[in-house]
């Protein structure tokens, strides 16, 4: 047995570290070893339990009700009901599916999104046949424009979307204004609080001036909140909340017209492990409201300090003042953010490059976990040094024959239909940039 586990550990050595605070995207680390251990033990206890049928695993129903109740309280929805899903993308897929199926009379349904909405909405559009009507955000603030979103709504609109906050820039969209426009037209309005939902309420409780974004705003009909991000629970847990049980009804899928058991599902999955739910429940109980308030404050303060320090580095700009625990940075023309990210990686820090989008230059994304806060000075030092080194190297020079290709690209690596073309660095071989291309 130990051989098998040794092999797993050896394989994991090639992965990004999930703990220790040096990974600033993909994973979230509370720094609380006991909370991690509670989560691990709950995962092991529930690995074989099946969330397919809560009548035979009633403990899972109890756990789900308690976790959803916690989230409904945080999102200020006294009548809100919800479902635990496998992640933010599944919560979003279900929100879109529910809105679509609530309007069966709309032949060609659409949803209105700010251009900063998470890619999961585009996945939902693709899977569910709901057209994404994308509205540019306000230049400079990167916030959704309520007037433009209202103007983009028509008879086919079944859902309007905002983020609290957006992943790429970390800003909260003007939810009350968008809600007003949506409810005046009788359209459902989803707030994607996948990344901010377990931070914003605790920051508010701690005295931070947090914009309105949840069910306290009339017109918000559903909210997604991930547990496997800032609730610091093991991967595989998010929540989709609806303001009322009636609004949730179209989310259910039921089928009895076959010779087997009646299938009645509230999620995309049917058989599903009870482990992520049990682990989420256990970690929530262990950390508690006071613990989350402390964790939110710790990572928020660290984010503000990081933004101030990064903004003072010659050549770096903070794209938007942080409102939660996310920060996005841009480099001036003297350096490539991709080179800065590589330099950071060489020093043991993972920061996430974000590709250029429309008229926006590439940037670096950093999600601040509580576990990074004690290492903030080290992080700032590494960032400062990485920017210097990247500036000394200069931006990647592209041969003339490649001019029409993206600036950092050198060598085509692969093409996948319907054509995302990616290029790799000639030095490291790492993928540098991808571009969607529609080819015959
Ligand atoms: C705002 C937002 N929405 C949705 C998602 C998708 O969540 P997941 O990766 O859990 O599917 C993310 C992930 O970072 C996010 O930040």
């Amino acid at each position: 047995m130990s051989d098998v586990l040794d092999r797993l550990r050896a394989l994991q050595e090639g992965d990004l570290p999930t703990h220790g605070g040096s990974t600033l995207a993909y994973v979230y680390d509370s720094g609380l070893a006991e909370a991690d251990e509670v989560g691990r033990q709950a995962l092991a206890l529930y690995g074989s339990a099946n969330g397919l049928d809560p009548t035979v695993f009633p403990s899972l129903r109890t756990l789900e009700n308690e976790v959803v109740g916690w989230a409904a309280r945080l999102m200020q929805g006294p009548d809100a009901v919800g479902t635990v899903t496998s992640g933010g993308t599944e919560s979003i897929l279900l929100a879109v599916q529910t809105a679509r199926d609530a309007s069966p009379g709309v032949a060609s349904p659409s949803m209105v999104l700010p251009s900063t909405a998470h890619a999961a909405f585009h996945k939902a559009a693709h899977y569910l046949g709901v057209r994404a009507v994308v509205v540019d955000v306000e230049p400079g603030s990167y916030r959704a424009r309520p007037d433009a979103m209202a103007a983009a709504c028509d008879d086919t609109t079944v859902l309007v979307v905002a983020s609290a906050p957006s992943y790429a820039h970390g800003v909260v969209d003007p939810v009350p204004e968008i809600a007003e426009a949506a409810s005046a037209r009788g359209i459902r309005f989803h707030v994607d609080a996948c990344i901010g939902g377990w931070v914003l309420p605790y920051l508010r409780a701690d005295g931070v001036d947090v914009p309105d974004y949840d069910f306290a705003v009339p017109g918000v009909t559903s909210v997604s909140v991930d547990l496997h991000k800032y609730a610091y629970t093991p991967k595989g847990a998010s929540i989709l909340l609806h303001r009322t049980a009636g609004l949730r009804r179209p989310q259910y899928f039921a089928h009895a017209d076959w010779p087997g058991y009646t299938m009645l599902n509230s999620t995309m999955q049917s058989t599903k492990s009870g482990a992520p739910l049990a682990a989420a429940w256990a970690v929530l109980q262990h950390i508690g409201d006071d613990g989350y308030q402390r964790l939110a404050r710790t990572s928020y303060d660290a984010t503000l300090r990081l933004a101030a320090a990064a903004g003072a580095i010659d050549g770096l700009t903070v794209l938007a003042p942080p409102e939660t625990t996310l920060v996005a940075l841009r480099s001036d023309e003297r350096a490539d953010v991709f080179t800065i990210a590589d330099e950071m990686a060489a020093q043991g820090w993972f920061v996430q490059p974000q590709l250029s989008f429309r008229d926006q230059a590439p940037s670096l994304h950093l999600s601040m976990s509580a576990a990074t806060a004690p290492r903030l000075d080290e992080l700032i030092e590494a960032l400062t040094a990485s920017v210097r080194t990247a500036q000394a190297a200069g931006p990647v020079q592209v041969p003339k024959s490649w001019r029409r290709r993206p600036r950092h690209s050198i060598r085509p690596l692969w093409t996948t239909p319907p054509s995302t073309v990616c290029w790799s660095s000639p030095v490291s071989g790492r993928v540098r940039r991808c571009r969607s291309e529609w080819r015959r």
Side-chain angles (χ1 to χ4, degrees), residues 142 168-169 315 317 319 328-333 335-338 352-365 407-408 433:
Y142 304 100
H169 305 108
T317 313
L319 288 191
L329 305 172
R330 190 169 53 209
S331 167
D332 68 15
E333 67 293 343
D336 271 319
V337 289
F338 303 95
Q352 187 181 50
Q354 304 188 121
L355 304 180
S356 57
F357 171 70
R358 300 195 179 162
D359 59 347
Q360 295 167 29
S363 57
L364 290 175
H365 169 100
R407 204 157 60 90
H408 308 280
R433 180 172 278 213

Side-chain angles (χ1 to χ4, degrees), residues 79-165:
D79 301 319
V81 295
T83 312
V84 173
T85 73
S86 62
T89 299
E90 190 184 8
S91 293
I92 286 166
L93 288 170
L94 287 167
V96 176
Q97 173 259 314
T98 307
R100 182 197 67 178
D101 294 348
S103 300
V106 179
S108 171
S110 65
M111 60 183 158
V112 172
L113 311 173
S115 53
T116 48
H118 194 273
F121 290 96
H122 297 274
K123 186 173 188 175
H126 180 66
Y127 279 10
L128 299 166
V130 175
R131 205 162 22 94
V133 176
V134 178
V135 178
D136 278 337
V137 294
E138 188 181 64
S141 79
Y142 304 100
R143 286 200 179 78
R145 293 177 300 140
D147 291 352
M149 290 186 63
C153 292
D154 62 22
D155 292 347
T156 69
T157 312
V158 296
L159 188 68
V160 170
V161 169
S163 311

Side-chain angles (χ1 to χ4, degrees), residues 141-334:
S141 79
Y142 304 100
R143 286 200 179 78
R145 293 177 300 140
D147 291 352
M149 290 186 63
C153 292
D154 62 22
D155 292 347
T156 69
T157 312
V158 296
L159 188 68
V160 170
V161 169
S163 311
S166 59
Y167 183 82
H169 305 108
V171 299
V172 178
D173 286 328
V175 169
E177 291 84 345
I178 300 170
E180 204 180 320
S183 71
R185 290 164 178 76
I187 302 170
R188 289 180 181 229
F189 176 28
H190 181 80
V191 175
D192 176 9
C194 280
I195 203 158
W198 226 262
V199 173
L200 288 164
Y202 290 111
L203 289 181
R204 184 183 279 146
D206 210 47
V208 177
D209 189 15
V210 166
D212 293 333
Y213 70 96
D214 57 18
F215 289 119
V217 179
V220 172
T221 55
S222 57
V223 180
S224 48
V225 186
D226 288 357
L227 298 169
H228 64 197
K229 293 190 171 75
Y230 281 102
Y232 297 110
T233 74
K235 290 296 182 217
S238 166
I239 299 169
L240 172 62
L241 294 169
H242 295 276
R243 179 182 281 277
T244 63
L247 287 166
R248 179 178 61 175
R249 189 147 312 173
Q251 185 184 316
Y252 286 98
F253 177 84
H255 190 82
D257 192 15
W258 74 301
Y261 59 90
T262 296
M263 197 164 92
L264 173 57
N265 296 154
S266 58
T267 59
M268 300 268 164
Q269 292 177 302
S270 195
T271 281
K272 57 186 173 191
S273 170
L277 167 59
W281 180 90
V283 171
L284 293 185
Q285 303 297 321
H286 183 82
I287 295 180
D289 280 317
D290 290 348
Y292 282 116
Q293 194 165 321
R294 276 194 299 277
L295 289 169
R297 169 57 80 174
T298 301
S299 31
Y300 177 66
D301 285 349
T303 310
L304 295 185
R305 265 193 63 204
L306 171 65
I313 297 174
D314 177 33
L316 276 194
T317 313
V318 178
L319 288 191
E323 290 186 275
T324 57
T325 51
L326 315 180
V327 65
L329 305 172
R330 190 169 53 209
S331 167
D332 68 15
E333 67 293 343
R334 287 174 289 167

